[in-house]
């Protein structure tokens, strides 16, 4: 009993990366994971959109790239994530949504977490067919009115994903941290798949 309590107290915080192409449901599922496991939801897309809305210097640099569906430079997003991680103490865990998107970002995240005495628990990759991704993003444009959810930008974002982001999954695979989940179906069903997986990983 005593050792169980001790284990609980010294248990490392969970740090989960939600991985997948635009439209795979990372934002929706990350919000749910954050609530269920009391983690900070860290979305680089949301941070960048706030910078754009506030017309900061960073926002001005990011705006044109986001409009085109191109990635914002690594050093900018790594700096943003570093600041966010530094805001919290050692006991706090994170769910990363939309970060890392390049291998350089993944390496930087390992470094930032290790400096904070933390590490990645697991990387959950949401698998969704391309036609469904496009359908979801166009649907989202009607609901949320995101300017980068138009046909041309969507194509660019998917291209960026295949060229620069997909190799990140290999990086985590080589660390035995990559898990795949079927991202098709109802939000609730996908949520259950994800939490069943996380519960299993945490209990091991
Ligand atoms: P998201 O909301 O995650 O789909 O991100 C929207 C846009 O923000 C992307 O298309 C990129 O232009 C930019 N962005 C978000 N996260 C990153 C990142 N980790 N690295 C580079 N650019 C990013």
């Amino acid at each position: 009993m005593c050792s169980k309590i001790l284990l609980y107290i010294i248990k490392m915080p969970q740090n989960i990366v939600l991985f997948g192409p635009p439209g795979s449901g990372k934002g929706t599922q990350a919000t749910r994971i954050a609530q269920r496991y009391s983690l900070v939801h860290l979305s680089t897309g949301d941070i960048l959109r706030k910078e754009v809305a506030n017309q900061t210097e960073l926002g001005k640099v990011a705006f044109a790239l986001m409009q085109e569906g191109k990635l914002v430079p690594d050093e900018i997003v790594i700096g943003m994530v570093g600041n966010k991680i530094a805001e919290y103490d050692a006991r706090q865990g994170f769910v990363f949504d939309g970060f890392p998107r390049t291998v350089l970002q993944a390496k930087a995240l390992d470094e930032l977490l290790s400096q904070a005495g933390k590490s990645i628990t697991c990387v959950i990759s949401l698998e969704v067919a391309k036609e469904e991704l496009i359908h979801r993003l166009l649907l989202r444009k009607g609901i949320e009115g995101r300017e980068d959810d138009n046909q041309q930008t969507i194509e660019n974002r998917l291209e960026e994903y295949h060229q620069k982001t997909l190799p990140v999954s290999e990086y985590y695979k080589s660390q035995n941290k990559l898990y795949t989940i079927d991202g098709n179906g109802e939000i609730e069903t996908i949520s259950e798949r994800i939490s069943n997986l996380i519960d299993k990983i945490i209990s091991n």
Side-chain angles (χ1 to χ4, degrees):
M1 181 67 175
C2 236
S3 61
K4 247 191 175 173
I5 294 171
L6 192 66
L7 244 177
Y8 179 77
I9 294 168
I10 58 170
K11 211 168 169 191
M12 302 282 278
Q14 311 300 330
N15 294 289
I16 298 168
V17 173
L18 212 48
F19 187 81
S24 57
K26 297 188 297 295
T28 306
Q29 296 300 338
T31 305
R32 289 169 162 246
I33 296 173
Q35 272 171 4
R36 188 180 164 107
Y37 299 96
S38 304
L39 304 174
V40 172
H41 178 185
L42 199 162
S43 156
T44 42
D46 283 352
I47 301 175
L48 286 166
R49 277 183 288 279
K50 254 182 226 153
E51 296 283 343
V52 171
N54 293 335
Q55 299 184 342
T56 62
E57 282 312 307
L58 196 158
K60 285 175 196 158
V61 175
F63 179 69
L65 293 161
M66 291 170 82
Q67 287 283 89
E68 275 183 66
K70 298 270 164 63
L71 292 189
V72 171
D74 285 332
E75 58 275 18
I76 292 185
V77 274
I78 291 167
M80 284 174 3
V81 171
N83 289 340
K84 200 79 189 167
I85 291 175
E87 276 178 31
Y88 295 88
D89 72 23
R91 286 163 300 175
Q92 184 62 59
F94 293 86
V95 52
F96 297 96
D97 154 18
F99 182 88
R101 263 177 155 103
T102 64
V103 173
L104 205 135
Q105 290 179 19
K107 289 181 177 167
L109 180 59
D110 278 346
E111 187 62 35
L112 287 168
L113 288 175
S114 131
Q115 282 164 8
K118 302 173 186 183
S119 63
I120 299 284
T121 311
C122 61
V123 177
I124 300 176
S125 174
L126 295 170
E127 314 259 293
V128 181
K130 187 180 174 188
E131 305 72 50
E132 173 65 12
L133 294 173
I134 296 174
H135 171 73
R136 285 187 191 176
L137 290 168
L138 291 175
L139 204 72
R140 185 170 73 183
K141 180 166 184 61
I143 298 166
E144 294 179 19
R146 252 177 73 167
E147 287 184 43
D148 58 347
D149 284 341
N150 62 72
Q151 191 84 41
Q152 184 53 54
T153 308
I154 289 170
E155 289 293 339
N156 293 348
R157 285 158 70 199
L158 290 173
E159 184 61 29
E160 287 279 85
Y161 175 78
H162 283 286
Q163 274 188 20
K164 299 175 185 164
T165 308
L166 212 46
V168 174
S169 63
E170 287 304 316
Y171 176 77
Y172 287 120
K173 202 172 173 182
S174 71
Q175 297 184 1
N176 290 324
K177 289 193 172 166
L178 185 74
Y179 298 82
T180 54
I181 283 280
D182 178 3
N184 297 287
E186 298 295 320
I187 291 175
E188 198 59 51
T189 313
I190 302 164
S191 239
E192 259 173 52
R193 285 179 200 143
I194 296 175
S195 43
N196 286 343
L197 173 67
I198 296 175
D199 290 347
K200 215 159 134 190
I201 295 169
I202 292 177
S203 67
N204 273 337

